[in-house]
């Protein structure tokens, strides 16, 4: 039995004012933070709303019809504002943009934003790697438009194949079949490198691990198992509900032999495992799975990500409780040099390593819910 304390909290402390150090101004394409980590990824949240109520992210008890903290439209960054910022990030070395939320496909005409972002180039003239994470509910309707606008890849969240389990987890009675159809639509539209993210909660959907692996093995879709994280302050997280990735791999190995694969990129969050063929070697036709062990195997050491919230606050860590107010800078008429200087100074001052520090705490303290922390649906996963 899990003791659960779910606080009702106003979630957003006042933002920090970005530092404007002239010394940091000129973008060089390579930026190092205070721990020597380079900047590579930017996650952009385009809405704080969602049509699902996954208990680990937007529990219904909090995000109900009386929830008052959704952002009004005027607070959201416009597509032009997002693109202007993204251009400065690219000059500072960002190579990958991921749109997220909330549910990003709920943002009206999000394909127009993708079309703008697809025009951006790195300092050496390359397009940015453009991807999006979605619950898949609107993909059948949107996949082709997203691809046509210039989206390269897509990650779809799906927590099980059993319809009863999945409907309970999304808590809005949404059927598995429609998400699978969304994945099919993404493939038909020509989106490549499709990934499926499954958050594993002990006691909730661990019986879905093998069915999911069997279903996606050999289809070209990469399934990734994500440890249930202590993000936000409303999901009543506790360590007892985390199923360590090592147990996921051990479970899979009993039926589906796996061999470890090396990371495909520095700072990659997933540990990769390839399905082995009859010769015991990785068989590319069978594909691979990944595990994201944010709780049991912290990867702060090469965390190369920034997160831009829906209202233009920049977060240097998923577990930060304050962001830097880039929207104010934009709306005060800052020039590109000032935006670049602010981004540089924020990254150069960054020393976050929350998960590493949490993993050094005794279990009783690691499970204590903080009084204030930004929600995943606001900051973007
Ligand atoms: N709504 C979209 C979706 O679900 O794919 C995008 C936003 S969602 C916040 C991004 C990712 O974060 C999803 O894959 C979701 O499963 C994951 N996520 C949310 N809360 C989480 C938690 N407490 N622990 C681990 N992953 C979580
Ligand atoms: Fe919505 Fe995604 Fe959060 Fe589920 S995980 S509630 S789909 S934002
Ligand atoms: Fe990066 Fe923060 Fe997660 Fe560590 S805890 S990997 S610094 S986002």
């Amino acid at each position: 039995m899990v003791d659960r304390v779910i606080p009702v909290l106003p979630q957003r402390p006042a933002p920090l004012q970005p530092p404007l150090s002239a010394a940091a101004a000129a973008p060089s394409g390579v930026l190092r933070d205070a721990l020597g980590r380079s900047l590579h990824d930017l996650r952009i949240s385009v809405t704080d709303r969602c049509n699902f109520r996954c208990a680990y992210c937007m529990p219904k008890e909090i995000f109900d019809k009386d929830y008052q903290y959704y952002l009004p439209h005027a607070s959201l960054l416009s597509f032009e504002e997002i693109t202007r910022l993204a251009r400065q990030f690219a000059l500072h070395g960002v190579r990958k943009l991921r749109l997220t939320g909330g549910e990003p496909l709920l943002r009206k005409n999000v394909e127009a934003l993708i079309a703008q972002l697809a025009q951006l180039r790195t300092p050496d003239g390359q397009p940015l790697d453009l991807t999006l994470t979605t619950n898949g509910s609107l993909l059948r309707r949107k996949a082709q438009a997203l691809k046509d606008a210039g989206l390269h890849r897509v990650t779809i969240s799906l927590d099980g194949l059993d319809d009863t389990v999945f409907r309970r987890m999304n808590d809005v009675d949404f059927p598995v079949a429609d998400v699978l159809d969304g994945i099919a639509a993404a493939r038909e539209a020509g989106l490549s490198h499709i990934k499926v993210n499954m958050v594993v909660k002990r006691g909730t959907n661990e019986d879905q691990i093998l069915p999911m692996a069997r279903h996606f093995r050999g289809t070209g879709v990469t399934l990734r198992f994500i440890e249930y994280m202590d993000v936000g302050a409303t999901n009543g997280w506790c360590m007892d509900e985390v199923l360590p990735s090592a147990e996921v791999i051990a479970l899979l190995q009993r039926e589906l032999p796996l061999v470890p694969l090396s990371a495909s990129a520095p700072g990659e969050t997933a540990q990769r495992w390839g399905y082995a063929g009859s010769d015991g070697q990785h068989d590319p036709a069978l594909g691979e799975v990944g595990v994201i062990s944010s709780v049991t195997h912290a990867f702060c050491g090469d965390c190369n990500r920034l997160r831009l919230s829906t209202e233009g606050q920049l977060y240097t860590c998923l577990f930060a409780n304050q962001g830097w107010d880039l929207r104010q800078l934009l709306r005060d008429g800052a020039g590109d040099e000032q935006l670049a200087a602010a981004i540089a100074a924020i990254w150069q001052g960054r020393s976050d390593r929350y998960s590493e520090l949490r993993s050094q705490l005794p279990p009783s303290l690691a499970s204590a819910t903080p009084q204030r922390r930004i929600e995943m649906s606001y900051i973007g996963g």
Side-chain angles (χ1 to χ4, degrees):
M1 178 68 187
V2 172
D3 286 336
R4 197 182 291 280
V5 181
I6 300 184
V8 180
L9 296 167
Q11 308 173 60
R12 302 195 257 274
L16 298 160
Q17 290 314 305
L20 291 171
S21 148
S28 66
V30 184
L31 215 50
R32 301 245 172 230
D33 75 4
L35 301 178
R37 299 169 293 192
S38 56
L39 174 60
H40 188 273
D41 279 25
L42 178 66
R43 299 189 176 195
I44 304 172
S45 174
V46 293
T47 177
D48 58 344
R49 294 165 197 243
C50 188
N51 53 343
F52 283 14
R53 286 292 176 272
C54 310
Y56 52 70
C57 177
M58 296 183 81
K60 232 178 196 167
E61 303 90 310
I62 307 285
F63 295 88
D64 60 8
K65 61 178 178 16
D66 297 325
Y67 181 76
Q68 293 169 15
Y69 304 106
Y70 290 121
L71 297 166
H73 192 75
S75 294
L76 311 189
L77 288 188
S78 68
F79 292 169
E80 288 67 29
E81 287 172 323
I82 292 174
T83 307
R84 197 167 158 225
L85 286 175
R87 184 175 294 112
Q88 297 309 315
F89 283 105
L91 291 174
H92 275 310
V94 162
R95 294 284 178 277
K96 179 171 162 188
L97 300 177
R98 176 178 296 279
L99 299 190
T100 177
E103 174 45 46
L105 300 188
L106 289 180
R107 179 83 185 252
K108 208 170 154 202
N109 207 15
V110 70
E111 52 275 28
L113 172 61
I114 289 169
Q116 291 183 27
L117 296 174
Q119 301 304 313
L120 299 179
R121 292 292 176 269
T122 64
D124 51 359
Q126 300 302 311
L128 302 182
D129 182 9
L130 255 184
T131 183
L132 174 147
T133 306
T134 171
N135 63 25
S137 59
L138 298 169
L139 258 186
R140 170 54 69 189
R141 249 181 280 166
K142 289 273 195 174
Q144 195 61 57
L146 296 169
K147 169 72 179 160
D148 293 346
L151 189 72
H152 303 141
R153 307 194 280 127
V154 71
T155 299
I156 297 124
S157 304
L158 177 63
D159 295 332
L161 281 181
D162 180 285
D163 206 44
T164 308
V165 171
F166 183 62
R167 285 177 192 254
R168 202 184 312 127
M169 286 189 78
N170 63 56
D171 218 5
V172 293
D173 214 24
F174 198 85
V176 170
D178 288 11
V179 179
L180 292 177
D181 187 50
I183 297 171
R187 301 179 74 142
E188 287 159 25
L191 289 162
S192 60
H193 297 103
I194 295 177
K195 292 185 181 139
V196 168
N197 279 353
M198 170 176 169
V199 175
V200 183
K201 271 182 93 175
R202 196 195 284 282
T204 301
N205 64 339
E206 67 206 89
D207 63 343
Q208 296 302 298
I209 294 170
L210 270 171
M212 287 281 284
R214 289 184 201 117
H215 182 85
F216 288 109
R217 183 171 176 257
T219 63
V221 169
T222 300
L223 175 60
R224 302 187 313 173
F225 299 97
I226 306 183
E227 285 177 353
Y228 171 38
M229 277 190 284
D230 50 333
V231 65
T234 59
N235 62 12
W237 182 89
C238 74
M239 196 70 186
D240 296 354
E241 290 180 304
V242 177
L243 187 79
S245 294
E247 289 186 39
V248 173
I249 294 298
L251 178 73
L252 293 175
Q253 288 272 32
R254 271 180 241 145
E255 178 181 320
L256 306 166
L258 295 168
V259 290
L261 301 177
S262 51
S264 55
E268 188 173 52
T269 51
Q271 290 164 293
R272 301 167 58 217
W273 292 80
Y275 288 112
S278 49
D279 60 356
Q281 305 293 311
H282 175 219
D283 179 351
L286 295 175
E288 61 182 77
V289 285
V291 285
I292 303 185
S293 320
S294 330
V295 178
T296 61
H297 195 265
F299 38 76
C300 302
D302 48 12
C303 176
N304 55 19
R305 254 156 284 135
L306 279 172
R307 292 178 160 86
L308 183 63
S309 81
T310 318
E311 57 179 342
Q313 291 181 23
L314 188 65
Y315 288 84
T316 53
C317 175
L318 186 53
F319 298 91
N321 58 14
Q322 268 183 304
W324 299 92
D325 195 351
L326 296 187
R327 185 188 64 191
Q328 191 64 46
L329 262 191
L330 281 169
R331 294 188 183 174
D332 283 350
D336 286 347
E337 308 71 30
Q338 280 175 296
L339 295 176
I343 292 166
I346 292 167
W347 186 263
Q348 288 170 333
R350 173 184 188 253
S351 59
D352 306 75
R353 51 188 198 101
Y354 170 86
S355 292
E356 267 179 16
L357 297 175
R358 188 238 296 101
S359 63
Q360 292 160 13
L361 293 174
S364 57
L365 285 179
S367 287
T369 306
Q371 284 309 294
R372 274 191 162 187
R373 201 190 265 162
I374 295 303
E375 294 299 317
M376 186 80 134
S377 54
Y378 167 77
I379 196 176

